[in-house]
Structures are given as structure tokens and as C-alpha cells.
Amino acid sequence: MAKDLFVIAEQRDGHIQKVSLELLGEATKLAKELGESVVGVILGDNIKDKAQELIEHGAEKVIVIEDPMLKEYVTEPYAKALTAMIKEYDPNIVLFGATSIGRDIAPRVAARVHTGLTADCTRLDVDMNEYFDYLHVASNADTKAIEAKLGMDDKTLKMTRPAFGGNVMATIRCADYRPQMATVRPGVMKKLDVIEGATGVVEEFKVEFTPEDMNVTIREVVKATHKAVDITEAKVLVSGGRGIGSPEFFGTLQEVADLIEGAEISSSRANVDAGWIARDRQVGQTGKTVRPELYIANGISGAIQHLAGMENSECIIAINKNDTAAIFEVSDLGIVGDVKVIIPKLIDALKAYHEAND
Amino acid sequence: MKIVVCIKQVPDTNEVKLDPVTNRLIRDGVPSIINHDDKAGIEAALQLRESLNDGSTVTVVCMGPPQADVALREALAMGCDDAYLLSAREFGGSDTCATAIIISAALKKIGYDLVITGRQAIDGDTAQVGPQIAENLGIPQVSYAEEVSIAGDVVTVKRQYEDRYHIIDVKTPCLLTALAELAEPRYMHAGLIIDAYEKDITVMGFEDLKDSINPDHIGLMGSPTRVVTSFGKMPKGAGTILNVDADEAVKAIIAKMEERHII
Ligand SMILES: Cc1cc2nc3c(=O)[nH]c(=O)nc-3n(C[C@H](O)[C@H](O)[C@H](O)COP(=O)(O)OP(=O)(O)OC[C@H]3O[C@@H](n4cnc5c(N)ncnc54)[C@H](O)[C@@H]3O)c2cc1C
């Protein structure tokens, strides 16, 4: 019988991507509810030494698939390897990061083994009570009708994701085929604290490749030159919307960020489109999903596509001139006022605070 | 070379709302458009045809209800050579896996050297149908295509990743999934608009494809994934909103930061 939760770890140049660690955290929670184990899977060339990192983030076992053919990501060799792995191990659930790699490989593998795949999930549930707790808080969904359909003992994976540009959420299930497969949005699940010195089983899995498996030729690999700031890693985000009025005001927001440990500046799409700030700072549906400890929204109206990327922040402070701005509906603290007046005063106050307390 | 572009007709998502009582999508009066990435795919195909200038053709394929022929007419008016509508009751409710089975069955009939799909559709955002068609056809895929050119039977693609790009050579037959950045779609050509309404659109139904489709693998019942429920998101519930002078406001912000151990 299909068993265990498999997390397909994504590595780039030998570095495990953060989303994979987040998935291990989520899988650990789901595994408890299922009474099953968490298995990490890593593919690459000379990659075995990365297994320990997966174990320290929750994997009880790691399957290592090594081959020179797997050095750079190419769809077919990866699809062949993962299909063989799934046939051999018969997983119950297989999770991928919803990255430009995960979203390329997962559909190909799902079609090859003929099973269902749900894209870009933002929530996963196994336990029905937990799922209903979520629905009761987050939605007006009719849980009675769902209970009638599934019963309370259902242990299938309930995969919840936004659709229609974030206007609608949908929960999707794959009841009749295994594995149940999903790609999960980076930044929405929580990784575990590192379990120093954790131990687990490391297993090597061999795949026989033929030269034909390399059915494309990579002529060039060009890495982004500037070290991209990863706003998803920031503890605090000081974010600017169209209401900041000028690109220069990002400099002022940067001063705020410099006064707060772990803070970075980010933006709504309006300012990115206007060319005021780099695209990798954009928060939202077509930007990044962030969940910092504090998100400060300055002159951001709170369009649904923006909220989709930041509403799970642990604390939200919004400053907006318009007392009916939608951003206030998700804010812990809303300030009706002019950012151009308040932010300079906030800088002074933070400086004074540090002088008094450091 | 025969270039086939697969397109989807989608509601303009900005305007789609959920009925707060029934949780159903309100589609009335919502305009339908060709999905952005797919339209970039059409444009790229037309540009490739022009660069080849050797009698190559661009065929456009759309699966959807009969009304989806509007999308195909628009594609013809942009300059595509012929159009196929895949439409049947049996196809309704298909998830990505089932959709890819239907489209690839049709592509086997229609023939292709290069297949282009959009990377993803703005209604479902799955990005799955393109790779799954490629899998069913047993041809290589290059997704997230940002630039494309052709020399002989070799397609060269700039393939985008979050932190890098690859320049990839792939031989036809193959499939690309187009990013919206791939090409800026041209406007419909006035002369072609009239032609577009005179051209025949070939409709393929279940009967036309049934010899290469397992009926248990399509439609709502044949789809591995099913929707349990859909719902509108509830706002998280506002906290405190202060309409006070700037100094008071700053005090409140500092207090919040302290409470949250940010400073
Ligand atoms: C398919 C699609 C995807 C999208 N994806 C994203 C996305 O990923 N991320 C994103 O952010 N957007 C996205 N958008 C755009 C989104 O719909 C909004 O247009 C955008 O978020 C608006 O940005 P804004 O809040 O900065 O600007 P506006 O909506 O113009 O809001 C400016 C706000 O500033 C306030 N203001 C003005 N002056 C001041 C002042 N002096 N002091 C205080 N407040 C002031 C105003 O009251 C107003 O609320 C997307 C749209 C589409 C169609």
C-alpha cells in the first residue's frame, strides 16, 4: 500500500532551496497525523553530503539519486529518475516546491505515472478536524456538506490553493490515484528549527540512464549577476506602494529598514512596474509570498493580488491616507495618515529608541 | 514546419467574483479573453513562421465550449493559418491530466513539429497542461520560454529560472511553454478579421478522438483530481485603526514593535 510523505528536495549548484526545507516542516506535521514517515529525495551529481541537511530539517530517511546526468536540471533525466523512484517506493504523498523547476517536473511525472497533481498549493491538510478549523476561520464554506461527502475519518490530502487570480480558493483532492502529488508555494509553509545532530537513514537509488535521455542540449547557463535580495528571508519588511509618491522615498524606507534588525524593503507591483525598484522586491500574487514577523505597508491600498502575497505575515502595520483602504482589513495596526509625515518621525523615534536602549 | 499553438479562453480574472451565498463563480458579464501567455505563444509562432518563410504554418487549437471559437477567430485574425476547436460534453470537467490527454490525442491527428502552449492560464494558474501534453506525445519540453529562434530542426530557447537562465537547443518535434514576455502580441489585422469569420474552424468531438482516448481518463469522472470545495477568502479581521496625529501614530508603531519583540 502506498505509504509515507516524500519531499523532492530542490538543489541548485548543490544548495538545498529553502522551499524544500519548508516542505519537510509541513510534511513532518502531516506525517504525525497519518502515522507515516517523512522521506527526503535529492537528485544531482555528487550530492550525497546534502542528505544530512534534510535529516536535520525533519526527514527520517533520505533517498539519494546521483548521476552526472543530473548535474544541471533537465526535465527528462529528472522525470525518468523520479518515476523510477515512485515505482520502487510507492509513496502516499509526493511534494515539490512550486518553483520553475518543480512546476516543470511535477506535471511530467504525474502524467507518466497517471496520477493527480495540484499546483501551487498554499495549504495542506490530512486531518479533517484541522481542515475544518481552518475553513471555519478562513471561509464561509459549507463544512456540513463536506462532512457528508468525505466523513470525518478521511485521511486523503486536502490541497488548498488560490485560483482566479486569488479571488477564489479551492480545495482539491486526489482520492483514487497514488501518489497524491502537489507543488507548494515557496514561503507559505514553515521549516522546523534545525535538529542538530539528527540521524536518519540515507539510501542510494540507482537509475540506468541512456544517452537519449538527455534530449536537449544546454548551451549556456547564465546566473543572475547581482546577488538577489531574498525578501522572503527577511524578518521585517518595510514595504512601499504607490502612495510613497516617488522612487526617492524608497531611500527613506531603507533608513527605517536599516534601524530594524533583519529588515529589508519591498514593494507593491505598482512601483515595480513604474521602475522605481527591482522586480525581485515585489510582494504579491505575481511577486513573492512573504510571511515576515512584521510587514509595514506604506501607501499600499491592499489589492487582492497584493494581499495574496503578504496577508499571512505574523503582524501587519499599515499606514494609509484613506481610512477605507482595504489594507486596513488585514492589519493588526492601521494608521490613517500621510507616510511622508509619519515615516520621518518614525526614523527619529527609532534612533531615539536605540540610543536609549542599546 | 508545422507549428501548433494551444490556447485557452479564460475569464478576465480581475473581474471574477464569487457569489457570497452560493460560493459559485459569477461569470455573467465577465469578458472572456485569450490567456496572456498563450497569446504570446501565438505571436512567437507567427514570428517563427515569418523568419522561416518557407511555407511553414501556424495552427491554433483550443479546447472549450462552443463559445471558445471567438478565441480561435481572434487567433486567425492575428494571422494563424487554421484552427481547431476541441469541444464535447465528454470533455467537460476535465482536470489538467485529462485535458492533456484530450489535447494530445487531437495533436496526434492534426500533426505537429513544434507545439507551443502558454506557461499557465490565469484562471487556474496550474502550468501543468503544457508539460503533460509533451509527456503524452513523448516529446521533449522546454517550459518558461522567454526567447525562441529556429534553425533547421533545432529550436533554441532562452529558458527562465528564478535565479538564472539556460540557453537550450532542442530538436523538433518538441513543446515549448511561453511566458508572456516571449513576444508582444500584434493587433488583429483588419483584413484578417473579415477573413477570420469566413474561415472554417474544424470542430473535433469525442467521436473524432475516441480511438486514441481511454474514456475512463477524461471528463469530470476520469480526472484524478476533484474539487472538494471552493470559497472566497474572508478578511482576517481588522485590528486597531488609529486616526491620530503623527506623533501619537509613531508611538503606537513603536509600541507594536516592542510588543512583537521586533526592537
Ligand atoms: C494579474 C495581476 C497580478 C497582480 N499581481 C500583483 C502583485 O503581485 N503584487 C502587487 O502588489 N500587485 C499586483 N497586482 C496589481 C494590484 O491589482 C494593484 O494594482 C497594486 O497592488 C496597487 O499597488 P499600490 O497599492 O501600491 O497602489 P494603489 O492601489 O494606487 O494604492 C496607493 C495607496 O496609497 C495611499 N496613499 C497615497 N498617498 C499617500 C500618502 N501620502 N500617505 C499614505 N498613503 C497614501 C492611497 O490611499 C492608496 O490606498 C496585480 C494585478 C493583476 C491584474
Side-chain angles (χ1 to χ4, degrees), chain A residues 45-86:
Chain A
D45 188 23
N46 284 324
I47 201 73
K48 200 158 82 197
D49 58 332
K50 291 289 158 190
Q52 183 59 23
E53 190 176 342
L54 301 183
I55 291 168
E56 286 175 353
H57 284 86
E60 289 153 78
K61 178 162 107 181
V62 176
I63 297 169
V64 180
I65 313 180
E66 284 187 326
D67 196 281
M69 194 80 88
L70 300 172
K71 186 166 191 297
E72 283 288 340
Y73 172 72
V74 174
T75 311
E76 182 53 33
Y78 272 69
K80 182 173 185 174
L82 287 174
T83 307
M85 186 282 294
I86 287 171

Side-chain angles (χ1 to χ4, degrees), chain A residues 240-244 267-271 282-287 298-306 319-322 325 337-340, chain B residues 13-14:
Chain A
R242 206 195 310 262
I244 66 170
S267 177
S268 75
R269 174 157 149 185
N271 295 343
Q282 181 187 320
V283 171
Q285 188 201 321
T286 45
N298 298 286
I300 294 177
S301 60
I304 187 142
Q305 296 91 350
H306 188 80
I319 307 172
N320 198 300
K321 274 206 306 216
N322 172 3
D338 187 336
V339 287
K340 285 179 210 116
Chain B
T13 47
N14 258 334

Side-chain angles (χ1 to χ4, degrees), chain B residues 135-202:
Chain B
E135 171 62 23
N136 296 338
L137 296 175
I139 58 175
Q141 82 205 34
V142 180
S143 50
Y144 292 76
E146 208 183 342
E147 284 171 22
V148 60
S149 60
I150 280 188
D153 64 348
V154 177
V155 183
T156 302
V157 188
K158 180 172 172 189
R159 197 284 194 203
Q160 191 192 79
Y161 292 92
E162 289 82 353
D163 58 345
R164 66 192 63 196
Y165 63 84
H166 287 176
I167 303 289
I168 295 179
D169 283 348
V170 55
K171 278 202 166 144
T172 60
C174 61
L175 180 144
L176 311 182
T177 80
L179 293 174
E181 296 93 299
L182 179 61
E184 179 70 35
R186 66 193 64 190
Y187 289 106
M188 291 183 280
H189 191 281
L192 292 176
I193 295 179
I194 301 165
D195 291 351
Y197 277 87
E198 282 164 2
K199 272 198 187 157
D200 285 332
I201 289 178
T202 310

Side-chain angles (χ1 to χ4, degrees), chain B residues 184-247:
Chain B
E184 179 70 35
R186 66 193 64 190
Y187 289 106
M188 291 183 280
H189 191 281
L192 292 176
I193 295 179
I194 301 165
D195 291 351
Y197 277 87
E198 282 164 2
K199 272 198 187 157
D200 285 332
I201 289 178
T202 310
V203 179
M204 287 183 156
F206 179 65
E207 287 299 317
D208 301 299
L209 301 176
K210 72 172 179 205
D211 55 339
S212 51
I213 289 183
N214 177 347
D216 296 336
H217 284 169
I218 60 163
L220 183 65
M221 294 318 287
S223 292
T225 60
R226 304 273 169 81
V227 176
V228 177
T229 181
S230 55
F231 50 89
K233 275 199 277 188
M234 299 254 267
K236 141 177 148 181
T240 321
I241 297 184
L242 296 178
N243 201 338
V244 293
D245 73 39
D247 292 315

